[in-house]
Amino acid sequence: MKELSSDISGLLVVVSAPSGTGKTTICKEVLKIVPELRFSISCTTREPRKGEKDGRDYHFISREEFEERISGGDFIEWAENHGHLYGTLKKDVESLVKEGHDVLFDVDPRGAKKLKSQYNNAVFVFILPPSIDILKERLKKRGSEKDAVMKARFERAFKEIREVVWYDYAIFNDIIDESVDVLKSIYKAEKNRRERLTKRITNIIG
Ligand code: ADP
Ligand code: 5GP
Protein backbone atom coordinates (compact mmCIF):
# COMPACT_ATOMS: atom_id res chain seq x y z
CA MET A 1 0.00 0.00 0.00
CA LYS A 2 1.21 3.49 -0.81
CA GLU A 3 1.49 6.17 1.82
CA LEU A 4 -0.19 9.53 1.40
CA SER A 5 2.18 12.46 1.63
CA SER A 6 2.61 13.49 5.26
CA ASP A 7 2.24 17.25 4.58
CA ILE A 8 -1.53 16.78 4.44
CA SER A 9 -3.25 20.00 5.48
CA GLY A 10 -6.95 19.08 5.50
CA LEU A 11 -8.68 17.66 8.54
CA LEU A 12 -9.39 13.93 8.24
CA VAL A 13 -12.41 12.72 10.20
CA VAL A 14 -12.61 8.95 10.41
CA VAL A 15 -15.92 7.42 11.46
CA SER A 16 -16.51 3.77 12.35
CA ALA A 17 -19.51 1.93 13.73
CA PRO A 18 -20.86 -1.57 13.70
CA SER A 19 -23.16 -2.22 10.76
CA GLY A 20 -26.72 -0.99 11.43
CA THR A 21 -25.74 1.64 14.01
CA GLY A 22 -26.75 4.56 11.82
CA LYS A 23 -23.34 5.73 10.64
CA THR A 24 -24.37 6.20 6.99
CA THR A 25 -27.45 8.20 7.99
CA ILE A 26 -25.43 10.45 10.32
CA CYS A 27 -22.55 10.99 7.88
CA LYS A 28 -24.93 11.89 5.03
CA GLU A 29 -26.67 14.51 7.16
CA VAL A 30 -23.38 16.04 8.34
CA LEU A 31 -22.08 16.19 4.76
CA LYS A 32 -25.19 18.14 3.79
CA ILE A 33 -24.65 20.82 6.42
CA VAL A 34 -20.84 21.09 6.38
CA PRO A 35 -19.84 22.02 2.82
CA GLU A 36 -16.06 22.02 3.50
CA LEU A 37 -16.27 18.34 4.40
CA ARG A 38 -16.21 15.82 1.55
CA PHE A 39 -16.84 12.10 1.66
CA SER A 40 -14.07 9.65 0.84
CA ILE A 41 -15.88 7.34 -1.59
CA SER A 42 -14.56 3.84 -0.99
CA CYS A 43 -14.33 1.05 -3.52
CA THR A 44 -16.27 -2.09 -2.75
CA THR A 45 -17.00 -5.42 -4.42
CA ARG A 46 -20.41 -5.75 -2.75
CA GLU A 47 -23.64 -5.15 -4.65
CA PRO A 48 -25.29 -1.74 -4.30
CA ARG A 49 -28.18 -1.61 -1.81
CA LYS A 50 -31.49 -0.05 -2.75
CA GLY A 51 -30.99 3.69 -3.14
CA GLU A 52 -27.20 3.50 -3.33
CA LYS A 53 -25.52 5.11 -6.33
CA ASP A 54 -22.21 4.25 -7.96
CA GLY A 55 -19.70 7.08 -7.56
CA ARG A 56 -21.69 8.69 -4.73
CA ASP A 57 -21.96 6.05 -2.01
CA TYR A 58 -19.22 3.72 -3.23
CA HIS A 59 -17.32 2.90 -6.37
CA PHE A 60 -18.89 -0.50 -7.01
CA ILE A 61 -16.25 -2.56 -8.79
CA SER A 62 -15.58 -6.22 -9.52
CA ARG A 63 -13.30 -8.34 -7.34
CA GLU A 64 -10.98 -8.63 -10.31
CA GLU A 65 -10.64 -4.87 -10.64
CA PHE A 66 -10.24 -4.52 -6.88
CA GLU A 67 -7.41 -7.05 -6.85
CA GLU A 68 -5.71 -5.26 -9.73
CA ARG A 69 -5.93 -2.03 -7.77
CA ILE A 70 -4.39 -3.73 -4.72
CA SER A 71 -1.49 -4.88 -6.90
CA GLY A 72 -1.15 -1.38 -8.32
CA GLY A 73 -0.83 0.04 -4.80
CA ASP A 74 -3.89 2.26 -5.33
CA PHE A 75 -5.31 1.91 -1.82
CA ILE A 76 -4.28 3.72 1.35
CA GLU A 77 -5.94 0.85 3.17
CA TRP A 78 -8.31 -1.99 2.36
CA ALA A 79 -10.06 -4.80 4.23
CA GLU A 80 -12.40 -7.71 3.65
CA ASN A 81 -15.80 -7.52 5.38
CA HIS A 82 -18.49 -10.17 5.10
CA GLY A 83 -16.82 -11.66 2.02
CA HIS A 84 -16.52 -8.34 0.21
CA LEU A 85 -13.54 -6.08 -0.29
CA TYR A 86 -13.56 -2.42 0.76
CA GLY A 87 -10.79 0.10 0.23
CA THR A 88 -9.87 3.78 0.29
CA LEU A 89 -8.31 5.18 -2.89
CA LYS A 90 -5.19 7.23 -2.30
CA LYS A 91 -5.75 9.31 -5.44
CA ASP A 92 -9.27 10.39 -4.40
CA VAL A 93 -8.22 11.48 -0.92
CA GLU A 94 -5.18 13.33 -2.25
CA SER A 95 -7.22 15.31 -4.75
CA LEU A 96 -9.83 16.26 -2.14
CA VAL A 97 -7.12 17.53 0.18
CA LYS A 98 -5.37 19.34 -2.67
CA GLU A 99 -8.63 21.13 -3.44
CA GLY A 100 -8.66 22.37 0.15
CA HIS A 101 -11.38 20.10 1.52
CA ASP A 102 -11.56 18.22 4.77
CA VAL A 103 -12.36 14.55 4.36
CA LEU A 104 -14.85 12.25 6.09
CA PHE A 105 -14.08 8.53 6.02
CA ASP A 106 -16.50 5.70 6.75
CA VAL A 107 -14.24 2.72 7.37
CA ASP A 108 -14.14 -0.26 9.70
CA PRO A 109 -11.78 -0.29 12.72
CA ARG A 110 -9.03 -2.05 10.76
CA GLY A 111 -9.09 0.65 8.11
CA ALA A 112 -9.27 3.31 10.81
CA LYS A 113 -6.20 1.86 12.55
CA LYS A 114 -4.27 1.94 9.31
CA LEU A 115 -5.25 5.59 8.79
CA LYS A 116 -4.25 6.35 12.38
CA SER A 117 -0.79 4.90 11.79
CA GLN A 118 -0.34 7.25 8.83
CA TYR A 119 -1.99 10.48 9.96
CA ASN A 120 -1.51 11.38 13.56
CA ASN A 121 -3.60 14.55 13.10
CA ALA A 122 -6.70 12.69 11.98
CA VAL A 123 -9.71 12.49 14.30
CA PHE A 124 -11.35 9.18 15.12
CA VAL A 125 -15.02 8.90 15.98
CA PHE A 126 -16.87 5.72 16.94
CA ILE A 127 -20.67 5.60 16.75
CA LEU A 128 -22.42 3.28 19.17
CA PRO A 129 -25.99 1.95 19.19
CA PRO A 130 -28.14 2.84 22.23
CA SER A 131 -28.26 -0.88 23.08
CA ILE A 132 -27.61 -4.25 21.51
CA ASP A 133 -31.35 -4.92 21.10
CA ILE A 134 -31.80 -1.66 19.25
CA LEU A 135 -28.86 -2.49 17.00
CA LYS A 136 -30.61 -5.75 16.07
CA GLU A 137 -33.79 -3.86 15.26
CA ARG A 138 -31.98 -1.31 13.07
CA LEU A 139 -30.23 -4.03 11.10
CA LYS A 140 -33.59 -5.69 10.49
CA LYS A 141 -35.20 -2.39 9.58
CA ARG A 142 -32.60 -1.77 6.91
CA GLY A 143 -33.71 -5.15 5.59
CA SER A 144 -31.21 -5.28 2.75
CA GLU A 145 -29.74 -8.66 3.54
CA LYS A 146 -30.68 -12.27 3.97
CA ASP A 147 -30.95 -13.63 7.53
CA ALA A 148 -27.59 -15.42 7.42
CA VAL A 149 -25.75 -12.28 6.29
CA MET A 150 -27.53 -10.23 8.93
CA LYS A 151 -26.56 -12.72 11.64
CA ALA A 152 -22.91 -12.54 10.51
CA ARG A 153 -23.03 -8.73 10.56
CA PHE A 154 -24.52 -8.83 14.00
CA GLU A 155 -21.86 -11.17 15.42
CA ARG A 156 -19.18 -9.00 13.93
CA ALA A 157 -20.77 -5.92 15.47
CA PHE A 158 -20.09 -7.32 18.97
CA LYS A 159 -16.40 -7.68 18.19
CA GLU A 160 -16.14 -4.26 16.58
CA ILE A 161 -17.71 -2.44 19.52
CA ARG A 162 -14.68 -3.34 21.67
CA GLU A 163 -12.50 -1.26 19.35
CA VAL A 164 -14.12 1.92 20.67
CA VAL A 165 -11.41 2.19 23.34
CA TRP A 166 -8.78 3.73 21.08
CA TYR A 167 -11.03 6.24 19.29
CA ASP A 168 -10.97 9.96 20.24
CA TYR A 169 -14.75 10.39 20.46
CA ALA A 170 -17.77 8.15 20.98
CA ILE A 171 -21.32 9.06 19.97
CA PHE A 172 -24.30 7.08 21.24
CA ASN A 173 -26.79 7.24 18.40
CA ASP A 174 -29.94 7.56 20.51
CA ILE A 175 -31.59 10.34 18.52
CA ILE A 176 -30.44 10.89 15.00
CA ASP A 177 -30.60 14.72 15.00
CA GLU A 178 -28.54 14.89 18.19
CA SER A 179 -25.92 12.51 16.79
CA VAL A 180 -25.65 14.68 13.67
CA ASP A 181 -25.24 17.71 15.89
CA VAL A 182 -22.50 16.03 17.95
CA LEU A 183 -20.53 14.91 14.89
CA LYS A 184 -20.77 18.42 13.45
CA SER A 185 -19.63 19.85 16.80
CA ILE A 186 -16.64 17.50 16.91
CA TYR A 187 -15.66 18.67 13.44
CA LYS A 188 -16.04 22.34 14.38
CA ALA A 189 -14.09 21.94 17.63
CA GLU A 190 -11.28 20.07 15.89
CA LYS A 191 -11.07 22.79 13.22
CA ASN A 192 -10.50 25.27 16.04
CA ARG A 193 -7.71 23.39 17.78
CA ARG A 194 -5.05 25.96 18.49
CA GLU A 195 -2.33 23.97 16.71
CA ARG A 196 -4.42 23.84 13.52
CA LEU A 197 -4.61 27.64 13.57
CA THR A 198 -0.89 28.25 14.03
CA LYS A 199 -0.47 30.12 10.72
CA ARG A 200 -3.30 32.54 11.44
CA ILE A 201 -2.20 33.04 15.04
CA THR A 202 1.36 33.76 13.89
CA ASN A 203 0.04 36.38 11.48
CA ILE A 204 -1.47 38.20 14.43
CA ILE A 205 1.10 37.78 17.15
CA GLY A 206 4.12 37.68 14.85
P1 ADP B 1 -25.00 1.86 9.13
O1 ADP B 1 -24.51 2.77 8.04
O2 ADP B 1 -24.30 2.12 10.43
O3 ADP B 1 -24.96 0.42 8.74
P2 ADP B 1 -27.63 3.01 8.59
O4 ADP B 1 -27.35 4.48 8.57
O5 ADP B 1 -27.88 2.32 7.29
O6 ADP B 1 -26.55 2.22 9.43
O7 ADP B 1 -28.92 2.83 9.58
C1 ADP B 1 -29.52 1.57 9.81
C2 ADP B 1 -31.03 1.78 10.05
O8 ADP B 1 -31.26 2.43 11.32
C3 ADP B 1 -31.70 2.67 9.01
O9 ADP B 1 -32.98 2.16 8.73
C4 ADP B 1 -31.77 4.04 9.69
O10 ADP B 1 -32.84 4.83 9.20
C5 ADP B 1 -32.02 3.63 11.15
N1 ADP B 1 -31.50 4.61 12.13
C6 ADP B 1 -30.28 5.23 12.14
N2 ADP B 1 -30.14 6.03 13.21
C7 ADP B 1 -31.28 5.93 13.92
C8 ADP B 1 -31.75 6.52 15.15
N3 ADP B 1 -31.01 7.36 15.88
N4 ADP B 1 -32.99 6.17 15.58
C9 ADP B 1 -33.75 5.31 14.84
N5 ADP B 1 -33.38 4.71 13.70
C10 ADP B 1 -32.15 5.01 13.22
P1 5GP C 1 -21.45 -1.65 4.36
O1 5GP C 1 -21.44 -2.87 3.48
O2 5GP C 1 -22.46 -1.76 5.48
O3 5GP C 1 -21.58 -0.36 3.56
O4 5GP C 1 -20.01 -1.55 5.05
C1 5GP C 1 -19.50 -2.63 5.77
C2 5GP C 1 -18.28 -2.17 6.57
O5 5GP C 1 -17.23 -1.80 5.67
C3 5GP C 1 -18.55 -0.95 7.44
O6 5GP C 1 -17.93 -1.20 8.71
C4 5GP C 1 -17.84 0.17 6.73
O7 5GP C 1 -17.37 1.18 7.60
C5 5GP C 1 -16.66 -0.59 6.13
N1 5GP C 1 -16.02 0.12 5.03
C6 5GP C 1 -16.59 0.87 4.06
N2 5GP C 1 -15.65 1.37 3.24
C7 5GP C 1 -14.45 0.94 3.72
C8 5GP C 1 -13.09 1.15 3.32
O8 5GP C 1 -12.77 1.83 2.35
N3 5GP C 1 -12.13 0.53 4.06
C9 5GP C 1 -12.43 -0.24 5.14
N4 5GP C 1 -11.40 -0.77 5.82
N5 5GP C 1 -13.69 -0.45 5.55
C10 5GP C 1 -14.69 0.13 4.85
Side-chain angles (χ1 to χ4, degrees), residues 161-167:
I161 284 175
R162 296 206 183 92
E163 296 289 321
V164 65
V165 294
W166 60 264
Y167 281 70

Short mmCIF file of all heavy atoms in Angstrom, two decimals, residues 161-167:
data_model
loop_
_atom_site.label_atom_id
_atom_site.label_comp_id
_atom_site.label_asym_id
_atom_site.label_seq_id
_atom_site.Cartn_x
_atom_site.Cartn_y
_atom_site.Cartn_z
N ILE A 161 -17.41 -3.42 18.47
CA ILE A 161 -17.71 -2.44 19.52
C ILE A 161 -16.54 -2.30 20.51
O ILE A 161 -16.26 -1.22 21.00
CB ILE A 161 -19.04 -2.81 20.23
CG1 ILE A 161 -20.21 -2.43 19.33
CG2 ILE A 161 -19.17 -2.12 21.58
CD1 ILE A 161 -21.57 -2.82 19.83
N ARG A 162 -15.81 -3.38 20.72
CA ARG A 162 -14.68 -3.34 21.67
C ARG A 162 -13.57 -2.40 21.20
O ARG A 162 -12.75 -1.95 21.98
CB ARG A 162 -14.09 -4.74 21.85
CG ARG A 162 -15.08 -5.67 22.47
CD ARG A 162 -14.42 -6.82 23.22
NE ARG A 162 -15.46 -7.68 23.71
CZ ARG A 162 -15.93 -8.73 23.06
NH1 ARG A 162 -15.38 -9.08 21.92
NH2 ARG A 162 -16.90 -9.45 23.57
N GLU A 163 -13.55 -2.12 19.90
CA GLU A 163 -12.50 -1.26 19.35
C GLU A 163 -12.67 0.21 19.77
O GLU A 163 -11.77 1.02 19.57
CB GLU A 163 -12.48 -1.35 17.82
CG GLU A 163 -12.11 -2.71 17.29
CD GLU A 163 -10.65 -3.04 17.50
OE1 GLU A 163 -9.80 -2.16 17.35
OE2 GLU A 163 -10.37 -4.21 17.83
N VAL A 164 -13.83 0.53 20.31
CA VAL A 164 -14.12 1.92 20.67
C VAL A 164 -13.04 2.52 21.58
O VAL A 164 -12.81 3.73 21.55
CB VAL A 164 -15.53 2.04 21.33
CG1 VAL A 164 -15.60 1.32 22.65
CG2 VAL A 164 -15.93 3.49 21.51
N VAL A 165 -12.34 1.69 22.32
CA VAL A 165 -11.41 2.19 23.34
C VAL A 165 -10.27 3.07 22.81
O VAL A 165 -9.75 3.90 23.54
CB VAL A 165 -10.81 1.03 24.19
CG1 VAL A 165 -11.89 0.36 25.01
CG2 VAL A 165 -10.09 0.03 23.31
N TRP A 166 -9.90 2.91 21.56
CA TRP A 166 -8.78 3.73 21.08
C TRP A 166 -9.23 4.91 20.20
O TRP A 166 -8.41 5.65 19.66
CB TRP A 166 -7.72 2.88 20.38
CG TRP A 166 -8.19 2.10 19.18
CD1 TRP A 166 -8.60 0.79 19.18
CD2 TRP A 166 -8.30 2.57 17.83
NE1 TRP A 166 -8.97 0.43 17.90
CE2 TRP A 166 -8.79 1.50 17.06
CE3 TRP A 166 -8.03 3.78 17.20
CZ2 TRP A 166 -9.01 1.60 15.70
CZ3 TRP A 166 -8.26 3.88 15.84
CH2 TRP A 166 -8.75 2.79 15.10
N TYR A 167 -10.53 5.10 20.07
CA TYR A 167 -11.03 6.24 19.29
C TYR A 167 -11.01 7.52 20.15
O TYR A 167 -11.01 7.45 21.38
CB TYR A 167 -12.45 5.97 18.80
CG TYR A 167 -12.49 5.06 17.57
CD1 TYR A 167 -12.15 3.71 17.67
CD2 TYR A 167 -12.82 5.55 16.32
CE1 TYR A 167 -12.16 2.88 16.56
CE2 TYR A 167 -12.82 4.74 15.21
CZ TYR A 167 -12.49 3.40 15.32
OH TYR A 167 -12.48 2.59 14.21
#
